[in-house]
Amino acid sequence: MPTQSPAERYQAARERLAESRTEFGSFKETFDFELDEFQMDACKSLEAGQGVLVAAPTGAGKTIIGEFAVYLALARGLKAFYTTPIKALSNQKYAELSAKYGARDVGLLTGDSSINPEASIVVMTTEVLRNMLYAGSDALDDLAFVVMDEVHYLADRFRGAVWEEVIIHLPSEVQVVSLSATVSNAEEFGAWLDTVRGSTAVIVSEHRPVPLWQHVMVGKDIVDLFAGDTSFDELAAEQGGIPAVNAELTQLAHTEAQNRLRGRFAHGGRGARGRNQPRRKGGGQSGWDKPEAGQSPVRTASRSQVILALDRAELLPAITFIFSRAGCDAAVRQCVDHGLMLTTEAERQEISARIELASQDIPSDDLEVLGYWSWREGLLRGVAAHHAGMLPTFKELVETLFVEGLVRAVFATETLALGVNMPARSVVLEKLEKFNGESHVNVTAGEYTQLTGRAGRRGIDVEGHAVVLWQPGTDPGAVAGLASRRTYPLNSSFRPTYNMSINLIAQFGRNRSREILESSFAQFQADRSVVGLARQVRSREESLAGYRESMTCHLGDFSEYAQLRRELSDLESSAAQQRSRARRDEIDESLSALRPGDVIEVTHGRSPGYAVVVAADPHVGEPRPTVLTEDRDTRRLSRQDLNGPITVLNHLRVPKQFNIRQPKDRKNLLAALQHALVATKSGAVPRSDAFSSSGYAAQEEKISELRRRLRAHPCHGCSDREAHARWSERWWRLRRETDALVRQIQGRTGTIAKTFDRVCEVLQSYDFLEPGPDQTLRPTVAGQRLRRIYGDKDLLIALCLREGAFDDLDPNDMAAFASALVFQAKREERGLRPRMPNAALENAVEVLIRQWSALEDQEAQAKLPLTGEPELGLVWPMIKWARGRHLEAVLEGTDLAAGDFVRWTKQVIDLLDQLAGVPGLPPGIRRNCLQAIERVRRGVVAYSALAA
């Protein structure tokens, strides 16, 4: 480092002194390590009064900027809200901030948890803050900072709109701290924040504080994905692109592909041994063997073998991502059955004590159904699963023990990557595809980055490691592409909902509401795309002018002549298509009319000649009857074998016991066919394949008229006619493309406001909105109730309230009915509508289904997203739980995991709590909602109150 001059040293000392007197300087002193440049830049911008958007990799330390906002709020005697996308992350952040600033100054609000809500610092889920804004909560007084952790979650198609609602509606004096994973369009998002929130500093860092190595695990060997002796981060920085893939892996993929190809052509017995198979030291120990034809040269290691290999390489603790809950649980069982032991005796004693403490309130009767014993056995060995189906208490302890180093191998679903602070030395991906609820899809580059971002613990590890397991058909180049694309675009999922729209109208009126919605990030992105489209339109219009000049004819208006040519061409093409379609329909009709015993002649196709029908096919579509030809061939007849409708020449009697597979039956039928053909050929009227064009006379007449007009046009005699025509054709193609772009612009301009208008029309049709004295829209009494209902089925719930669906329900029924309004079954778990426990619930469900069906019709007509069909699969378990049954009895006969049941029950509680606060409802409904909450908030639900 160059030696500083005395003047430079003096200046640096003055700057340090000046910084030490700032709030940031005081904050920085609370850390025993140097902050990164991006952290310092963001904190200084925040202290200067700007909002900030920080986009940096997972584990880079973005939350320090959020903590500085908290520090500023406390120092200035103001409030700060720290929002997260999931309750588990809110709970974790609440614990961290409470430990740092004291429980008195920190609160928690997550819908089902309320701790010290009047505190200066409140951690909450983003939905809670959205609801506060719409309700005009007093808690917003003195609010100075809002931290939006994991703000890239606004791209989520189900919940992402909440982030935009909050950003738009927060008071202008509130500074917003947006913390995002690295995205490729951070500047675009920052420009929008600058538009709606005022001055916003955009700070992007792609530097990982802990370098990440990328590997592929081949058999039991861990092989570098990229060539060279430096990490991917350093390679990318040096080479400025995708580094070279390890040639060893490329050769293995090539060998595997060749062997699969050989396997296709191997005939019987054992396939030939492949040549030039890659081998590693240790022979069969590595899992790289000479395979038989068609087999992979790699034997995939078991899950316990993978963990042992990582342990030998000193790469534990590790998180293995398996995109299946059942797969995670199975992985733990496999490791236990294999005898895997990653803990010492002292560690096992500590883990046992922690398990006893965490589970002391769980009734012993529930332990078996909760999977307690297998969970405990895995923890004692240092192995655990982590997924949404687990009991929250169990999941929390797994997180704690993993962070403390007592659990060293966790098998998790991708939900772990959503912000929960649980980093590891290495991350393993078993497969690069997952089931998204509808189909199996490849992992995206953004998902890969998010998952592998857990590798490398800051301040603990000098490097992190990402490991992809080799599977048959693995493409090392594709893996390298995923690993190399470090960013992904952030795209808005915002759309106006019923609750959002009616709250906006109540507060701002319709016109102002449209303006607010047009300020969304979704519309911002649409408008930006319109700018690019408009630029294309202008460029194409210039080209069109040039084309028009090139097709100018001195004899007349060539554009008029070209229009005649196009009309004629289109009409001739249409006529040909109609004739072809009519001929096909006549052929299909004649084929579907054939019956066993009909004698026909096939004049075209692969084997023309006479045949007898042995099996009819009267199906709509393309009928394919089975025939026996005079050449003794049995085949199915299709329209491709005919040039026109087929005619029956004769008919034979086919015995009922006729079997086409019996040679004797075929021989007898063929003899009868030959006999019939003699009579047919001598006296039958031959079938004509001619296609009748009757009915097309008017069309042919129009074609003739167009041809006459074309020949009579002055430009028809031009010597440069065909050259002009070529320019005309180019003009026409470009005109169509340009018009399509113009339609795109029209479709994107004001798209959010147009959707809002359609939502308002639906709300008006249901009398949730009505014209006021000044003819502007305002909520009705029913509309005021809708303002307090949040969720995917907000309008449907409000309709059920208005139609009396809740009126006759007791507290137990209330909980069960609420489950039908929040529960979403997996697609494979959806079944027939179950019988309801009693008449009151049956009547309520009848109202629900009837209202949903009518609403879906309205939404389809208005071209709005459809409200999901109510799911009744949780009704029986919920009413059993409300009646006090044990958990095992509640879950008996269902596919619900205990953790899932707790999670859905919390959502039922949240809805019941909302309903209890809806204004103007009969007192009995409110009373029953509160009693229902008391009855279901018990047992595992009650002692899981602080978990997701």
Side-chain angles (χ1 to χ4, degrees):
M1 182 175 177
T3 304
Q4 289 183 316
S5 68
E8 288 172 332
R9 288 199 299 273
Y10 175 71
Q11 181 61 30
R14 288 192 62 181
E15 290 174 359
R16 286 196 298 272
L17 179 62
E19 184 179 275
S20 69
R21 293 172 176 170
T22 65
E23 289 171 309
F24 172 61
S26 302
F27 174 72
K28 196 168 67 165
E29 292 300 318
T30 64
F31 296 93
D32 54 5
F33 56 86
E34 282 294 317
L35 298 185
D36 290 338
E37 185 177 352
F38 85 92
Q39 294 168 326
M40 292 191 289
D41 290 345
C43 289
K44 288 175 182 177
S45 297
L46 196 60
E47 186 172 3
Q50 290 183 285
V52 293
L53 166 63
V54 181
T58 300
K62 296 185 292 291
T63 55
I64 282 180
I65 297 97
E67 290 177 17
F68 182 54
V70 169
Y71 181 90
L72 283 176
L74 288 173
R76 297 174 183 178
L78 299 171
K79 289 183 180 179
F81 289 168
Y82 198 111
T83 71
T84 72
I86 54 177
K87 294 174 185 177
L89 187 54
S90 292
N91 298 334
Q92 192 175 73
K93 205 67 204 175
Y94 166 72
E96 291 174 8
L97 293 174
S98 296
K100 187 167 186 176
Y101 296 109
R104 189 187 67 174
D105 287 326
V106 183
L108 175 70
L109 288 172
T110 60
D112 59 347
S113 298
S114 178
I115 301 173
N116 199 15
E118 303 300 322
S120 299
I121 310 302
V122 184
V123 183
M124 62 185 68
T125 51
T126 317
E127 280 88 351
V128 170
L129 179 52
R130 185 271 313 273
N131 299 352
M132 279 186 181
L133 289 165
Y134 282 152
S137 171
D138 293 339
L140 298 170
D141 295 343
D142 297 325
L143 179 63
F145 301 94
V146 167
V147 180
M148 305 200 75
D149 205 354
E150 308 281 342
V151 74
H152 54 271
Y153 209 86
L154 69 77
D156 182 80
R157 65 191 180 109
F158 297 111
R159 295 173 53 214
V162 177
W163 273 253
E164 290 187 52
E165 290 180 75
V166 168
I167 291 169
I168 291 170
H169 293 307
L170 276 172
S172 58
E173 66 273 12
V174 175
Q175 287 176 252
V176 175
V177 180
S178 303
L179 306 178
S180 170
T182 309
V183 292
S184 54
N185 60 337
E187 288 75 14
E188 180 186 41
F189 185 50
W192 174 69
L193 287 171
D194 206 75
T195 300
V196 297
R197 300 297 318 162
S199 180
T200 301
V202 178
I203 296 159
V204 178
S205 173
E206 295 189 18
H207 170 70
R208 277 181 54 95
V210 181
L212 181 65
W213 286 78
Q214 304 278 350
H215 310 282
V216 176
M217 191 164 186
V218 184
K220 301 173 192 174
D221 292 328
I222 300 172
V223 182
D224 290 343
L225 173 61
F226 297 109
D229 297 323
T230 50
S231 73
F232 165 74
D233 305 79
E234 296 165 311
L235 282 169
E238 292 170 5
Q239 301 178 13
I242 300 178
V245 177
N246 189 336
E248 195 175 12
L249 294 173
T250 305
Q251 176 60 38
L252 175 59
H254 178 68
T255 302
E256 187 178 72
Q258 283 186 323
N259 200 58
R260 280 201 307 271
L261 189 62
R262 283 200 305 273
R264 292 178 187 173
F265 298 100
H267 295 285
R270 296 174 67 86
R273 290 278 183 180
R275 291 175 294 175
N276 302 322
Q277 300 293 342
R279 276 192 174 275
R280 299 289 297 243
K281 290 180 181 179
Q285 290 294 320
S286 69
W288 300 41
D289 292 331
K290 287 185 177 180
E292 297 181 7
Q295 294 181 346
S296 171
V298 179
R299 290 204 310 270
T300 304
S302 68
R303 283 157 172 162
S304 58
Q305 289 171 333
V306 170
I307 299 302
L308 287 171
L310 294 172
D311 193 23
R312 287 193 298 270
E314 298 183 349
L315 294 182
L316 295 182
I319 299 171
T320 300
F321 283 107
I322 303 173
F323 303 114
S324 156
R325 298 178 185 182
C328 293
D329 293 334
V332 174
R333 286 195 303 272
Q334 290 161 15
C335 290
V336 170
D337 293 344
H338 189 267
L340 186 69
M341 184 70 72
L342 302 175
T343 54
T344 65
E345 179 60 34
E347 288 171 334
R348 287 193 287 277
Q349 290 179 5
E350 173 65 18
I351 293 169
S352 178
R354 302 284 283 278
I355 291 172
E356 292 299 321
L357 183 64
S359 57
Q360 62 184 352
D361 294 327
I362 301 178
S364 57
D365 292 346
D366 291 342
L367 293 179
E368 189 67 39
V369 70
L370 291 172
Y372 171 83
W373 301 109
S374 57
W375 169 73
R376 182 180 187 278
E377 180 64 24
L379 286 182
L380 292 173
R381 293 172 177 270
V383 182
H386 187 286
H387 56 73
M390 292 174 63
L391 188 69
T393 304
F394 290 3
K395 196 164 54 172
E396 277 186 349
L397 186 58
V398 169
E399 294 167 8
T400 303
L401 294 177
F402 188 80
V403 170
E404 294 178 7
L406 293 171
V407 167
R408 294 186 174 87
V410 165
F411 298 93
T413 56
E414 63 183 315
T415 53
L416 176 59
L418 280 176
V420 178
N421 184 23
M422 198 170 153
R425 180 167 295 169
S426 62
V427 163
V428 180
L429 274 70
E430 282 200 350
K431 293 182 179 179
L432 293 177
E433 71 168 23
K434 63 174 186 173
F435 185 69
N436 65 0
E438 297 178 356
S439 61
H440 285 88
V441 296
N442 292 328
V443 171
T444 67
E447 290 166 337
Y448 184 92
T449 301
Q450 186 86 358
L451 295 169
T452 58
R454 292 277 156 209
R457 296 165 297 176
R458 189 171 189 177
I460 301 175
D461 300 317
V462 296
E463 58 193 27
H465 298 265
V467 182
V468 174
L469 298 192
W470 183 279
Q471 304 286 349
T474 295
D475 179 0
V479 179
L482 278 178
S484 303
R485 287 181 57 198
R486 301 290 295 278
T487 61
Y488 53 98
L490 180 62
N491 294 316
S492 173
S493 61
F494 182 85
R495 67 172 181 84
T497 64
Y498 297 113
N499 172 274
M500 180 198 308
S501 300
I502 205 160
N503 270 297
L504 284 172
I505 287 174
Q507 291 185 15
F508 306 107
R510 183 170 187 168
N511 293 335
R512 175 68 181 132
S513 296
R514 291 178 101 258
E515 293 173 7
I516 290 171
L517 291 170
E518 285 178 334
S519 68
S520 66
F521 185 44
Q523 191 59 57
F524 185 84
Q525 287 189 308
D527 290 343
R528 281 203 159 193
S529 68
V530 164
V531 171
L533 292 174
R535 191 180 301 116
Q536 291 183 51
V537 169
R538 285 195 298 272
S539 173
R540 288 166 185 246
E541 290 289 359
E542 293 173 4
S543 299
L544 284 167
Y547 292 172
R548 192 178 295 108
E549 185 177 345
S550 297
M551 71 179 185
T552 301
C553 179
H554 66 288
L555 295 178
D557 184 351
F558 199 87
S559 61
E560 182 182 76
Y561 179 74
Q563 176 67 23
L564 285 172
R565 285 177 64 136
R566 276 194 301 275
E567 284 185 32
L568 178 59
S569 175
D570 291 346
L571 195 57
E572 288 176 335
S573 175
S574 174
Q577 288 176 3
Q578 286 186 35
R579 284 194 293 271
S580 175
R581 190 160 48 246
R583 178 162 46 247
R584 185 194 66 197
D585 292 345
E586 288 188 11
I587 290 172
D588 286 352
E589 187 177 347
S590 68
L591 285 172
S592 64
L594 292 176
R595 297 292 178 266
D598 287 346
V599 177
I600 58 174
E601 182 183 8
V602 181
T603 56
H604 296 79
R606 57 191 172 103
S607 54
Y610 293 99
V612 58
V613 177
V614 294
D617 185 9
H619 295 107
V620 176
E622 184 181 355
R624 300 190 65 191
T626 304
V627 299
L628 177 63
T629 71
E630 58 181 335
D631 296 330
R632 304 186 179 186
D633 183 26
T634 303
R635 53 184 291 246
R636 297 189 73 184
L637 205 60
S638 71
R639 70 165 75 111
Q640 284 71 35
D641 298 312
L642 307 173
N643 194 37
I646 200 161
T647 300
V648 175
L649 305 176
N650 207 329
H651 186 80
L652 302 175
R653 190 183 69 82
V654 178
K656 289 184 179 179
Q657 294 77 22
F658 175 80
N659 187 341
I660 192 66
R661 295 186 178 86
Q662 295 294 329
K664 183 179 179 181
D665 286 2
R666 290 200 305 273
K667 182 178 179 182
N668 290 339
L669 189 60
L670 282 170
L673 173 63
Q674 293 298 331
H675 181 74
L677 287 176
V678 173
T680 299
K681 292 175 182 177
S682 61
V685 177
R687 178 188 58 77
S688 171
D689 278 343
F691 175 72
S692 171
S693 61
S694 60
Y696 297 95
Q699 195 173 44
E700 292 295 336
E701 185 178 340
K702 189 171 182 180
I703 289 172
S704 299
E705 173 60 23
L706 280 172
R707 286 173 178 162
R708 283 194 297 270
R709 290 173 59 190
L710 196 68
R711 288 193 294 269
H713 197 282
C715 293
H716 191 69
C718 179
S719 57
D720 295 326
R721 181 184 68 195
E722 293 309 311
H724 294 330
R726 284 192 293 274
W727 282 110
S728 169
E729 190 58 35
R730 292 173 189 168
W731 181 92
W732 178 245
R733 280 200 302 269
L734 191 60
R735 179 75 269 168
R736 282 189 302 183
E737 293 171 4
T738 305
D739 289 344
L741 288 176
V742 170
R743 286 194 295 272
Q744 282 189 51
I745 291 173
Q746 293 169 344
R748 296 185 187 186
T749 303
T751 51
I752 303 299
K754 291 173 184 175
T755 303
F756 170 69
D757 289 339
R758 293 198 293 270
V759 167
C760 289
E761 288 171 9
V762 172
L763 291 172
Q764 272 191 278
S765 71
Y766 277 112
D767 295 325
F768 281 83
L769 287 173
E770 64 181 2
D774 55 356
Q775 294 305 303
T776 59
L777 290 179
R778 65 181 185 185
T780 61
V781 173
Q784 291 293 348
R785 293 174 180 173
L786 175 58
R787 292 186 62 192
R788 299 294 296 272
I789 300 170
Y790 307 96
D792 293 337
K793 295 182 173 66
D794 48 8
L795 180 54
L796 180 59
I797 294 168
L799 287 168
C800 287
L801 278 173
R802 189 174 69 180
E803 297 302 314
F806 294 85
D807 292 357
D808 299 325
L809 303 180
D810 66 22
N812 298 339
D813 297 338
M814 194 74 77
F817 188 58
S819 75
L821 296 165
V822 298
F823 181 58
Q824 294 176 356
K826 294 179 181 177
R827 189 174 62 173
E828 63 271 19
E829 294 174 357
R830 294 171 185 169
L832 297 175
R833 176 175 165 180
R835 178 181 57 83
M836 290 296 102
N838 54 55
L841 265 174
E842 186 68 49
N843 293 335
V845 167
E846 282 293 335
V847 174
L848 171 63
I849 299 300
R850 187 168 62 250
Q851 291 299 319
W852 166 76
S853 179
L855 175 58
E856 188 183 48
D857 291 342
Q858 285 266 40
E859 289 170 331
Q861 189 174 355
K863 297 181 180 178
L864 290 171
L866 304 182
T867 297
E869 182 176 359
E871 301 281 354
L872 305 175
L874 194 61
V875 168
W876 273 100
M878 190 56 63
I879 200 166
K880 288 178 183 177
W881 183 251
R883 289 171 177 173
R885 301 283 294 277
H886 286 300
L887 185 62
E888 184 174 8
V890 167
L891 299 182
E892 185 179 3
T894 75
D895 294 324
L896 283 169
D900 285 329
F901 177 74
V902 170
R903 182 163 53 87
W904 288 118
T905 303
K906 288 174 179 295
Q907 293 197 33
V908 166
I909 291 171
D910 186 42
L911 175 58
L912 291 170
D913 189 52
Q914 286 182 38
L915 294 175
V918 169
L921 287 184
I925 292 181
R926 182 178 186 277
R927 183 175 59 252
N928 286 338
C929 284
L930 294 174
Q931 289 181 16
I933 291 172
E934 290 178 9
R935 296 185 185 187
V936 298
R937 188 182 277 154
R938 66 178 182 85
V940 290
V941 177
Y943 59 68
S944 298
L946 290 181

